[in-house]
Amino acid sequence: MTITVAVDAMGGDVGLKVTVPASIRFLQDTPHVHLILVGDEVAIQEELVRLRAPQERIRVQAASEVVGMDEAPQSALKNKKDSSMRVAINLVKEGQAQAAVSAGNTGALMATARFVLKTIPGIDRPAIAKLMPNMKGLSCVLDLGANVDSSPEQLLQFGIMGAELVSCVLGKTNPTVGLLNIGSEDIKGNETAKQAAELFKESELNFHGNVEGNDIYKGTVDVIVTDGFTGNVALKASEGLAKMIATFLREEFTRSWWTRLCALAAMPVLNRFRERADTRRYNGASLLGLRGIVVKSHGGADVTGFRFALAQAYEEASSNVIGNIADRVADQLQNLKRPESSSTE
Amino acid sequence: MTITVAVDAMGGDVGLKVTVPASIRFLQDTPHVHLILVGDEVAIQEELVRLRAPQERIRVQAASEVVGMDEAPQSALKNKKDSSMRVAINLVKEGQAQAAVSAGNTGALMATARFVLKTIPGIDRPAIAKLMPNMKGLSCVLDLGANVDSSPEQLLQFGIMGAELVSCVLGKTNPTVGLLNIGSEDIKGNETAKQAAELFKESELNFHGNVEGNDIYKGTVDVIVTDGFTGNVALKASEGLAKMIATFLREEFTRSWWTRLCALAAMPVLNRFRERADTRRYNGASLLGLRGIVVKSHGGADVTGFRFALAQAYEEASSNVIGNIADRVADQLQNLKRPESSSTE
C-alpha cells in the first residue's frame, strides 16, 4: 500500500526551513512514501529547488493562512479555514493522505483535527499519546494534555487506544497496561483513579495495576494511562530535568582547558550517550481517537526531530492503527460489563 | 538556642545501619545540635559503641515497636503506640525535641504526625514539601503526595507555607510563587487550578502566575504549588528519569576496555557532575502545616542522604519555620478577600 503523508509545512517555531528539509530526508529514507507539503506554495517550491529535492513522490498543496503558535484554538478553527494545518487535515479526511503531521500549536491542531475528522465511535475524546524511552525500550504514555479532566470510562478508552498503538507500531502482542497513580496499592489515589482501576480490571486489557511516576522510565508496563493534566506535567517536568542534566554535564566538561581535554578523550562515549538520550528520536505525539492519523511534532523540533515525527505518522498509517483501534473499541466497549456497585466498594 | 532533633532510628529500608552513622556524622558537623535516637535501645547502643560515637549531645530513647514500610497508616496509628516513629514525634509534641526525622513509611508518618501534633490554625491539611534543585538554585515544590485532591483554598495554604519555608531556610525575601498547570495562560487547566489562580492573585503572595512542568527545573519561581497527585507523579517521574540517564551514562562508559579508559580520563569531571547531580543532597521532605517540624527522609536513603535530611530538620528548627508559617497564615488568611462571583467567571 502506498502511504501519503500530508505535512503542515508552515507549522512550528521555525516552519519551512525545518519541515521541508526534514520531508526531503524522510522521502529519501523511505522508499514508498508520498508527501504533500501544505502551505505557501511559492515559498515551499523555492525551498524545494534550493535543496534540490527529488521531483517524484512529493507535491505541494497551497494554503493561504498559518495558525499562530499562540493563537487560541477556537479562533484558529473559526477564522483560519485555509490554514496549512487545516488543509493538511482535510487531505486526510478526503482520503488523499493517510496521515497529517504538524509542528504547530497543539490546542489548534487538536481542535481542528477533532472538528474535521471526528472521533472514532465509542471514543469520547481524543488523547495525546507518545512513545517514550525507558530502561527496557519504549512505552506509550497518554493522555499528555488533550484533556484536563478525564472520567474513569475515558481513561479506559485511553488504555485501549494506547494498547493498540503499541501492538501496531511496536509489534507487541497483548501489551501490559498500567494506571498512573501515587502508590501501587489499590486503595491509593483519587476517586477517578480508583474507579478507573475497577474498569480496567474488568476490561479485556492486560491490566498490570497501578504504577507510579518512576515506572514510566523503569519500563514496568507497555502502556501508561493518566489524565491529561498529570500526563502533561510529568512529560514537561521530564523535559525540564533532562535539559538541566544535559546543561550540568556540558558545564562540567567546558569548565576549563583541562576539563575540555577530558571531554575530548571521552568524546566517542559522550557522543554515543548523547545519541541514546537524544529526545529528537522520540519526537512525534499521536492525537489518538480520531478517524484519521494526526501526529504532533514538538514546535521547536529541528530537521532530525521533525523527520522522526514523519516516521511516526508513516508507521501508524502502515500498521493501520486507526482501523485496529476502531475494531478493538467496538469489541471491548460492547463486551465491557459496568462494575456492579458491590465491586467498587 | 539549642536545637534537639528526634531521630526515628528504626525507620527506612535499612534502619539502624543508616540512621545511627548518619546521626553521628551530623553531630560531628553541627556544633550545637543535640540528637535523641529513638528505637531499640540495646541495638542502638551497640551501634553507637561500634561506631565510637561521642558521649555528648546524643541520647537514646527506647521505643518497643517499629512501623513496617508497607503497613497501613491507620493500623500504625492504632496499634503501634510505642513505635520509634511515634515516640520521636511525641518528643516534638512534648517540647523535648524541636524536630523529628524519619525514613519510615510516608503514609504512617503523615497520619501519626497529624494525629499527635495537629495542624496549624488556618491550615486544613498538611502538605509534603521538598527543596528541589533547578538551573538557578533551589525551589520548594509542594504538595508531593500528602493529599490526592486539593481545593483552591488548600492550594493557597500550600503556597503560603512554601513561601515561608523558602524565606526561612533559603533566606529569600518575598519569594515568587507559581501554580503548576498545563499552560501559562490563565484560561488553561482544570477548574481547581483556575479558581486557585484567582485566590493567589488576591493574596499577599508574590504570585508569578501559572507555570508548567519544565519550570520546576528551569527555576522560574521559588515555590511551585500543586496538588499531591500531580506533585507526586512529577517527583517520581523525575526520579525515574534521573536514574535512567545515570544508567545510560554508566553503561556507555563501561561498554569496553576502551570506553573504561575514556571514563578514567574523564573521571575528575564525571565525579564533579555526579556530585552536582547527586539526589542525596536534596533528601528530606518537610511535612508542612503541622505544629512541629517533621522531616521525611527517602526510605532508601544511605548515610549521606539521611544526614542531609537531619540537616534539613535542623535548618527548619533554627529558622523557626513553624512560627513564621503560623504568623503568616493568620495574617494572610484573615486579610484574604474571597473572590467575588464575577471574578471567577
Side-chain angles (χ1 to χ4, degrees):
Chain A
M1 188 178 75
T2 301
I3 304 289
T4 302
V5 178
V7 182
D8 167 10
M10 315 306 284
D13 297 344
V14 177
L16 283 177
K17 298 281 176 189
V18 160
T19 58
V20 177
S23 296
I24 296 170
R25 285 208 210 160
F26 177 63
L27 205 66
Q28 287 163 341
D29 296 346
T30 317
H32 300 296
V33 78
H34 288 244
L35 296 180
I36 307 174
L37 304 188
V38 185
D40 179 336
E41 202 172 0
V42 175
I44 297 172
Q45 287 292 7
E46 274 177 15
E47 190 65 10
L48 286 171
V49 169
R50 192 179 72 82
L51 296 166
R52 297 178 193 179
Q55 303 286 311
E56 287 162 3
R57 299 192 282 129
I58 190 162
R59 72 175 176 89
V60 179
Q61 171 88 39
S64 61
E65 295 169 311
V66 178
V67 174
M69 289 305 276
D70 292 321
E71 198 165 338
Q74 288 311 313
S75 142
L77 197 57
K78 272 190 198 158
N79 308 324
K80 298 258 175 99
K81 293 190 180 159
D82 197 40
S83 72
S84 54
M85 181 187 280
R86 177 114 171 214
V87 172
I89 296 169
N90 285 341
L91 289 170
V92 176
K93 166 85 177 168
E94 295 156 6
Q96 292 193 53
Q98 282 68 54
V101 178
S102 174
N105 175 333
T106 311
L109 184 65
M110 180 53 97
T112 307
R114 231 183 128 184
F115 179 80
V116 172
L117 296 173
K118 314 297 180 211
T119 51
I120 292 170
I123 298 293
D124 298 340
R125 300 192 52 133
I128 299 177
K130 206 166 178 319
L131 293 175
M132 287 170 67
N134 61 51
M135 301 270 242
K136 298 175 187 167
L138 291 172
S139 57
C140 172
V141 186
L142 77 171
D143 174 29
L144 293 172
N147 310 281
V148 288
D149 288 306
S150 301
S151 66
E153 288 76 16
Q154 287 167 347
L155 292 173
L156 178 64
Q157 294 165 16
F158 297 170
I160 295 170
M161 299 195 292
E164 278 313 307
L165 184 71
V166 166
S167 290
C168 293
V169 175
L170 302 182
K172 284 207 180 173
T173 50
N174 206 18
T176 52
V177 180
L179 197 55
L180 198 56
N181 205 321
I182 61 170
S184 52
E185 304 85 8
D186 280 2
I187 48 148
K188 288 265 182 102
N190 55 26
E191 269 316 304
T192 309
K194 284 184 213 168
Q195 288 174 21
E198 292 301 318
L199 282 184
F200 274 75
K201 275 183 211 162
E202 293 174 31
S203 77
E204 292 175 17
L205 290 173
N206 185 2
F207 182 50
H208 170 276
N210 290 340
V211 294
E212 299 187 68
N214 50 338
D215 289 303
I216 299 173
Y217 297 102
K218 258 183 170 173
T220 310
V221 289
D222 299 313
V223 180
I224 289 155
V225 176
T226 184
D227 67 276
F229 192 92
T230 311
N232 186 277
V233 168
L235 176 74
K236 288 192 176 153
S238 298
E239 287 176 359
L241 176 61
K243 220 171 252 182
M244 183 176 85
I245 293 176
T247 305
F248 282 4
L249 201 57
R250 193 167 42 245
E251 280 177 4
E252 290 307 329
F253 273 111
T254 54
R255 198 174 278 282
S256 68
W257 66 266
W258 165 244
T259 62
R260 282 173 200 270
L261 213 63
C262 290
L264 207 64
M267 195 56 81
V269 185
L270 288 175
N271 281 343
R272 279 198 64 145
F273 167 72
R274 201 192 331 239
E275 203 175 299
R276 198 164 162 193
D278 189 350
T279 53
R280 297 179 302 178
R281 287 172 59 198
Y282 314 108
N283 184 36
S286 311
L287 273 50
L288 282 188
L290 300 164
R291 302 185 197 197
I293 294 164
V294 179
V295 168
K296 163 76 175 90
S297 159
H298 203 289
D302 64 5
V303 172
T304 302
F306 196 76
R307 196 177 51 159
F308 276 101
L310 293 171
Q312 174 69 22
Y314 177 76
E315 290 296 328
E316 289 183 30
S318 345
S319 59
N320 188 26
V321 169
I322 307 288
N324 282 292
I325 289 178
D327 291 350
R328 193 51 63 99
V329 170
D331 286 358
Q332 295 215 22
L333 292 186
Q334 270 178 8
N335 296 345
L336 181 71
K337 277 181 269 166
R338 298 286 153 183
E340 321 310 319
S341 59
S342 64
S343 68
T344 56
E345 270 167 22
Chain B
M1 187 179 71
T2 300
I3 305 288
T4 302
V5 178
V7 182
D8 167 9
M10 315 306 284
D13 298 341
V14 177
L16 282 177
K17 299 279 176 190
V18 160
T19 58
V20 176
S23 296
I24 296 170
R25 287 208 208 159
F26 177 64
L27 205 69
Q28 285 163 344
D29 296 346
T30 317
H32 300 296
V33 77
H34 288 243
L35 297 180
I36 307 174
L37 303 188
V38 185
D40 178 337
E41 202 171 2
V42 175
I44 297 173
Q45 287 292 10
E46 273 176 16
E47 190 65 11
L48 286 171
V49 168
R50 191 180 73 82
L51 295 166
R52 295 175 196 184
Q55 304 286 311
E56 285 164 6
R57 298 192 284 128
I58 190 163
R59 71 173 176 91
V60 180
Q61 171 88 38
S64 60
E65 294 167 312
V66 178
V67 174
M69 290 305 274
D70 291 322
E71 196 164 340
Q74 288 311 314
S75 141
L77 198 56
K78 272 190 200 159
N79 308 324
K80 299 261 174 96
K81 292 189 180 160
D82 197 39
S83 72
S84 54
M85 181 187 278
R86 177 113 170 215
V87 172
I89 296 170
N90 285 342
L91 289 170
V92 175
K93 166 85 177 171
E94 294 156 8
Q96 292 194 52
Q98 282 68 54
V101 178
S102 174
N105 176 335
T106 311
L109 184 66
M110 180 53 96
T112 307
R114 233 184 125 182
F115 178 80
V116 172
L117 296 173
K118 314 296 179 212
T119 51
I120 292 169
I123 297 293
D124 298 339
R125 300 193 50 132
I128 300 177
K130 205 168 180 316
L131 294 175
M132 287 170 68
N134 60 51
M135 301 269 243
K136 300 173 184 167
L138 290 171
S139 56
C140 172
V141 186
L142 74 170
D143 173 30
L144 293 172
N147 310 281
V148 288
D149 287 306
S150 301
S151 67
E153 289 75 16
Q154 287 167 347
L155 291 174
L156 178 64
Q157 294 165 15
F158 297 170
I160 295 169
M161 297 195 293
E164 278 315 306
L165 183 71
V166 165
S167 291
C168 292
V169 174
L170 303 181
K172 283 206 178 173
T173 49
N174 207 18
T176 52
V177 180
L179 198 54
L180 197 56
N181 205 320
I182 62 170
S184 51
E185 306 85 8
D186 280 1
I187 48 148
K188 288 267 182 101
N190 54 26
E191 269 317 303
T192 309
K194 286 184 211 168
Q195 288 174 21
E198 291 302 317
L199 282 184
F200 274 75
K201 276 182 209 161
E202 292 173 32
S203 77
E204 291 174 17
L205 290 172
N206 185 4
F207 182 50
H208 169 275
N210 290 339
V211 293
E212 299 187 68
N214 49 338
D215 289 303
I216 298 173
Y217 297 103
K218 258 182 166 173
T220 311
V221 289
D222 299 313
V223 181
I224 289 156
V225 176
T226 186
D227 66 276
F229 192 92
T230 311
N232 185 278
V233 168
L235 176 74
K236 288 192 177 154
S238 298
E239 286 176 359
L241 176 60
K243 219 171 254 183
M244 183 176 85
I245 294 175
T247 304
F248 282 4
L249 202 56
R250 191 168 44 243
E251 280 177 3
E252 290 306 328
F253 272 112
T254 53
R255 198 174 278 282
S256 68
W257 66 266
W258 165 246
T259 60
R260 282 172 200 271
L261 213 65
C262 289
L264 207 65
M267 195 56 83
V269 185
L270 288 175
N271 282 341
R272 280 198 62 145
F273 166 72
R274 202 193 331 238
E275 202 175 300
R276 197 164 162 192
D278 189 350
T279 52
R280 297 179 301 180
R281 287 171 59 198
Y282 313 109
N283 184 39
S286 311
L287 273 50
L288 282 188
L290 300 164
R291 301 185 196 197
I293 294 164
V294 179
V295 168
K296 163 77 176 91
S297 159
H298 202 291
D302 64 4
V303 172
T304 303
F306 196 78
R307 194 178 54 161
F308 276 101
L310 293 170
Q312 175 69 24
Y314 177 77
E315 288 298 325
E316 289 182 30
S318 345
S319 59
N320 188 25
V321 169
I322 306 286
N324 281 291
I325 289 178
D327 291 351
R328 192 51 64 99
V329 170
D331 285 0
Q332 296 216 23
L333 292 184
Q334 271 177 9
N335 297 343
L336 181 72
K337 279 180 265 166
R338 297 286 153 181
E340 320 311 317
S341 59
S342 65
S343 67
T344 57
E345 273 167 20

